[in-house]
Amino acid sequence: MRCSPSEGKMQHFPKHLLHCFVDDNRCECNEHDGVLFRAELFSISPTEEQLCWERCCRSEMEIPDVQSRVARWLSWLNA
């Protein structure tokens, strides 16, 4: 469920429509924006793609926190 008080909206995303992708560019960072690690959780509905959550790491120190968050999402999605 996603709540946005500023928009006054609540959205529900069924688990089977959620996807999690992780891009690990630490070995060869050739991204033009300097992103070493990127994680995305988004839903795909029949009408459109809605990105719900994205984290980009440009520092090695940020990666463990994002990995931990991704692990929690994957644990929930696979339950």
Side-chain angles (χ1 to χ4, degrees):
M1 176 149 321
R2 177 178 179 256
C3 299
S4 176
S6 62
E7 296 175 8
K9 290 177 20 178
M10 287 179 70
Q11 296 173 291
H12 179 262
F13 300 99
K15 277 187 188 182
H16 71 281
L17 295 178
L18 290 175
H19 303 275
C20 185
F21 286 105
V22 175
D23 294 323
D24 189 347
N25 301 315
R26 288 178 285 181
C27 291
E28 50 183 75
C29 184
N30 53 11
E31 292 282 322
H32 69 280
D33 56 4
V35 174
L36 295 174
F37 193 87
R38 174 183 289 120
E40 297 177 71
L41 180 77
F42 62 93
S43 72
I44 297 178
S45 68
T47 57
E48 60 187 64
E49 177 181 314
Q50 298 175 338
L51 180 63
C52 297
W53 181 85
E54 178 183 35
R55 293 294 182 269
C56 296
C57 302
R58 291 180 174 79
S59 164
E60 290 272 349
M61 293 176 11
E62 298 171 304
I63 295 174
D65 179 56
V66 173
Q67 285 176 322
S68 175
R69 291 172 186 247
V70 168
R72 284 191 304 251
W73 276 117
L74 288 175
S75 174
W76 179 78
L77 285 172
N78 291 323

